[in-house]
Structure formats: structure tokens, C-alpha cells
Amino acid sequence: MVLAVFVAPYLLDATRRFVDATANLPDVELALITCEPEERLPGDLRRGIAGHWRIDDALDAGQIAAAVHGLNGHLGEVQRLLAVLEQLQVPLAQVREHLGIPGMDAATARNFRDKAQMKSVLRAAGVPCARYRLADSAAAAAEFAAEAGYPLVVKPPAGAGAKSTFRLDDAEDLRVWLEAAPPAPDRMAMVEEFLTGEEGSYDSVMIDGQVVWDSISRYFPTPLEVLRNPWIQWIVLMPREIGGAEYAGIRELAPAALRALGLRTGFTHMEWFRRPDGSVAVSEVAARPPGAQITSMLCYAHDFDFYRGWARLMVDGSFPPPERRWAAGTAFLRGQGSGYVQAVHGLDRLPAEVSSLVVESRLPAPGQMSSASYEGDGYIIVRHPDTGVVADAMRRLVTGVRVELG
């Protein structure tokens, strides 16, 4: 029996799926470290775990280490330390090293978490990626802008997804950004060239330094473009066939990028671009499962529980590669403007050939506050064996369903 500890500040819906999958492995005892008191955990979860330890800051390596020590005293030696939150990968790796727990080390975790260091490692390995500058002053940012030209992207060095990420199209945009949030030695910013073209994700499982399974998803349009245009309802499309020439470039490039970053065993999520000339480039990589409902889409596309697959991989380093049997897609429903959701229009007018494909949905609820995220206020997931059918269903959903705000 393996004693594993899962760390999460709060048990949000997506995190809970990974927790439940780990807790239900037959040869695993699971304990939790969270910021929530035990009495706030759902009753079924409390009954299914071996222990719980509350801390004030789940991103603090010292508090995590103290909690693991406490659980050691009550339950025995902790043998695995797990998390899916990107911001937790470095502190967890530090605790693993300190306590001798197997898993990703701190140097590798920093390669994935620090975007400037990541770009440096990738470029040194010959992996195409955007030019960048880690700016500690307005002068440094302006100097890189003069060197690289526009458009540019600015983001925090340890960001996740497209959070706090902005596009600068010209010198006036740069001036406005520098006035609003000037970089400083204690508040540095990543300034990088804006990659144009098609964007998608490359998700993979690596065991002992070898990619044993991979997946491609496509974004329509890019997340940054969605953030800049509040009227756009975002789409993620997971094509059924990924073995042809269309995706050969990223499937050849990605394993080299992952090995350069130092990963031996784990689940990864990579953002990549295909430029107008057909060449591919890596944008960012995270040593965690994908968000934006992509993990759920993977389950539907393969008839395989990827939440459980991640748990098995993290506990004993095994993963049976599943066959892709379906295409899948997610339409993210976004209200235009701001305020509270008043109603969702158009669902009753969807044709049967679209509604019959729906396998999961979370519709915006009247009264909920509208989100500024590119993932919007709700989503609908569909699947079908034919990628074209899924793509058409996505188009009909985002043009036929409207979220009213007020």
C-alpha cells in the first residue's frame, strides 16, 4: 500500500476529479493537505481519505513540509507527493528533495515554472520558441521592443495559461502598459515576440524520458485573441486523427523539448504555434495535466479515464496508452460585456444533429457573475467519430447560443 499526499489550496471541481481518482486507486492510501478545515470537505471525500492536514498557505514549501511531517507521525511514511496546480510544482519538488520522496526534482520544476528560464533552456537545445527579454525596468522593456519590433506579448515570468498576459501592438500600447505596471527588479515581466499563426496544445505522457502517448488539440482562435475580444466564444477542437503530416512537426519537436527541460516521468501540457510558413514553435510547457476541459475531452475521445490514468502514472510510473476513438470539442460560452448572467438563449433551437452529440455541459446559471476568462461562463462538450462533424457542431454552438448579461 502506497501512502500518497495530495496538496491543493482548495478543492475546486477540476481538482476534485484528480483527488477522487487517486483516492479510488485500490493500492493507495490518500491524505490531503489543504487550506480548508476538514469539516468543510465533502462527507464522501472525508470517508475516503486516510488523513487531512490544514495549512494557511498551500504554496509555501515550509508549511507543506511541516504538514507532511505531521502526517508521517500519524499515518506512516509518505511515499508520494502530488498536485495538479501549476503554481505548486516547485514547492512540492523542494519538499520531495528535502524529505527524500520520489518524483520531479526542483531544478526540473523550475525549468517548467519560470518561463524565462524555460525559453533559455529550449533555445539552448535548438527548440524554436519566441525571442524574449526578462525586463526589470521600463528601459529594458523599451530596449527589447526596439530590437524585436511589434507586436509583443507581456506576461509574468511564472504565469499560468493566459492570466495577466497582454498583447502590445505599438509604442503607444507599450507606453500605456509601462505607466500602469512598470517592471522592476522585484516585479519583473517577460516581454517576448508575438508568435502568429495557428495555436494548439500538445499533451503527453512521458515515462523514463520517453513519450509513450500524446495528443493534439486546436484552439479557435488563440486564447489571447479571445481575451482581447469579449464577443468571441472560444473553441477547443480535438481531432481524431493526429498521425499524419499536419501534426508531424510538433510531434517530432515536442519530445526533444521535454527532454531538454529535464522531465523523466509525468503528464505535460504544451502550447505550440504553427507559423504561416508551416514551421512550428513551442510557446510554453507545464508539467501538469491540461486545463480548459481538455482532460475531460481526452476521456471522451479515448473512452479512458485520464484522471485515474494521471493518478496511476504519478503513483507507480505506469500508463497504458489508450486508442483515440473519437473527435471531441468544447465550446466555451461567454457573455458579452460584464455583469450577471440573465439568460442563455438558443439552446432550444439547436438542431438534433448537434444536441445529440453533447456528452457533458455546464451551462451559465442565471444570477452568476460573468467571468473575464477566455473559458467564459460555461461550456458544452461534444464528440463524434468524424472530426468534421465535431467542428461543424462547434461552429453551430458558438453562433447559435448567446449568454445574456445584465
Side-chain angles (χ1 to χ4, degrees):
M1 186 71 71
V2 174
L3 176 58
V5 172
F6 198 112
V7 183
Y10 302 97
L11 294 178
L12 304 178
D13 289 345
T15 304
R16 177 71 194 273
R17 293 190 182 191
F18 290 101
V19 171
D20 288 344
T22 311
N24 289 327
L25 293 178
D27 51 354
V28 171
E29 281 190 309
L30 183 68
L32 294 179
I33 297 175
T34 74
C35 296
E36 297 177 290
E38 184 175 354
E39 57 268 21
R40 290 190 186 174
L41 301 180
D44 60 331
L45 181 59
R46 288 202 306 271
R47 291 187 292 271
I49 59 176
H52 172 267
W53 202 279
R54 197 197 76 80
I55 57 179
D56 293 324
D57 184 357
L59 302 181
D60 183 274
Q63 293 188 36
I64 295 170
V68 173
H69 274 301
L71 291 168
N72 277 339
H74 286 79
L75 303 174
E77 182 180 358
V78 172
Q79 297 160 286
R80 298 291 186 274
L81 192 56
L82 316 175
V84 291
L85 187 67
E86 185 168 345
Q87 295 89 330
L88 272 167
Q89 300 309 318
V90 171
L92 252 63
Q94 293 170 331
V95 175
R96 290 191 196 103
E97 287 190 353
H98 177 63
L99 299 179
I101 298 173
M104 184 168 59
D105 60 72
T108 300
R110 281 189 287 268
N111 281 345
F112 282 92
R113 181 67 179 139
D114 185 322
K115 306 309 181 188
Q117 182 168 317
M118 173 191 298
K119 292 282 198 307
S120 178
V121 170
L122 292 177
R123 291 176 72 86
V127 176
C129 56
R131 291 179 294 165
Y132 74 96
R133 177 75 56 82
L134 189 58
D136 60 0
S137 66
E143 180 182 326
F144 180 76
E147 173 189 320
Y150 296 95
L152 297 171
V153 175
V154 294
K155 63 182 72 172
K163 294 180 176 64
S164 301
T165 299
F166 306 96
R167 172 174 163 170
L168 309 180
D169 286 317
D170 51 36
E172 176 62 15
D173 284 352
L174 176 65
R175 184 191 65 78
V176 171
W177 172 67
L178 289 175
E179 286 185 356
D186 62 342
R187 191 181 60 254
M188 292 193 287
M190 275 274 290
V191 187
E192 63 180 51
E193 65 177 327
F194 179 72
L195 293 175
T196 60
E198 304 168 358
E199 185 178 0
S201 74
Y202 173 89
D203 303 294
S204 69
V205 169
M206 180 173 272
I207 297 177
D208 294 332
Q210 299 298 318
V211 172
V212 299
W213 168 90
D214 62 2
S215 171
I216 300 288
S217 301
R218 295 284 308 282
Y219 300 159
F220 298 98
T222 68
L224 189 55
E225 192 66 20
V226 176
L227 287 175
R228 287 166 54 87
N229 296 279
W231 58 270
I232 292 177
Q233 301 198 106
W234 189 45
I235 290 172
V236 177
L237 174 67
M238 188 173 288
R240 181 179 181 184
E241 302 295 338
I242 63 171
E246 183 176 5
Y247 302 114
I250 186 59
R251 297 186 75 201
E252 292 171 2
L253 182 65
L258 296 174
R259 284 191 288 269
L261 293 170
L263 187 68
R264 295 292 301 165
T265 296
F267 207 131
T268 68
H269 175 64
M270 177 183 295
E271 311 284 352
W272 63 279
F273 279 85
R274 179 163 42 224
R275 299 185 180 99
D277 65 1
S279 64
V280 297
V282 173
S283 176
E284 295 182 357
V285 197
R288 57 163 174 80
Q293 304 306 319
I294 293 176
T295 301
S296 293
M297 292 169 64
L298 289 170
C299 296
Y300 292 118
H302 296 80
D303 287 327
F304 177 84
D305 187 346
F306 274 83
Y307 295 96
R308 185 183 179 93
W310 171 86
R312 188 85 271 167
L313 176 70
M314 293 296 99
V315 169
D316 63 21
S318 66
F319 184 87
E323 177 187 356
R324 188 108 138 198
R325 299 175 178 174
W326 308 79
T330 299
F332 292 91
L333 308 178
R334 305 175 78 214
Q336 297 181 23
S338 60
Y340 294 86
V341 174
Q342 301 297 311
V344 181
H345 302 284
L347 291 171
D348 57 342
R349 294 191 294 274
L350 289 175
E353 59 265 30
V354 173
S355 58
S356 64
L357 305 182
V358 175
V359 291
E360 181 179 321
S361 64
R362 182 177 63 78
L363 300 178
Q368 81 178 55
M369 183 68 183
S370 180
S371 168
S373 164
Y374 54 86
E375 294 183 41
D377 307 303
Y379 63 86
I380 299 174
I381 302 177
V382 306
R383 74 170 182 177
H384 188 276
D386 188 313
T387 302
V389 171
V390 171
D392 181 66
M394 293 290 94
R395 180 188 60 78
R396 294 192 187 199
L397 284 169
V398 296
T399 58
V401 179
R402 180 176 63 87
V403 180
E404 178 187 352
L405 302 180

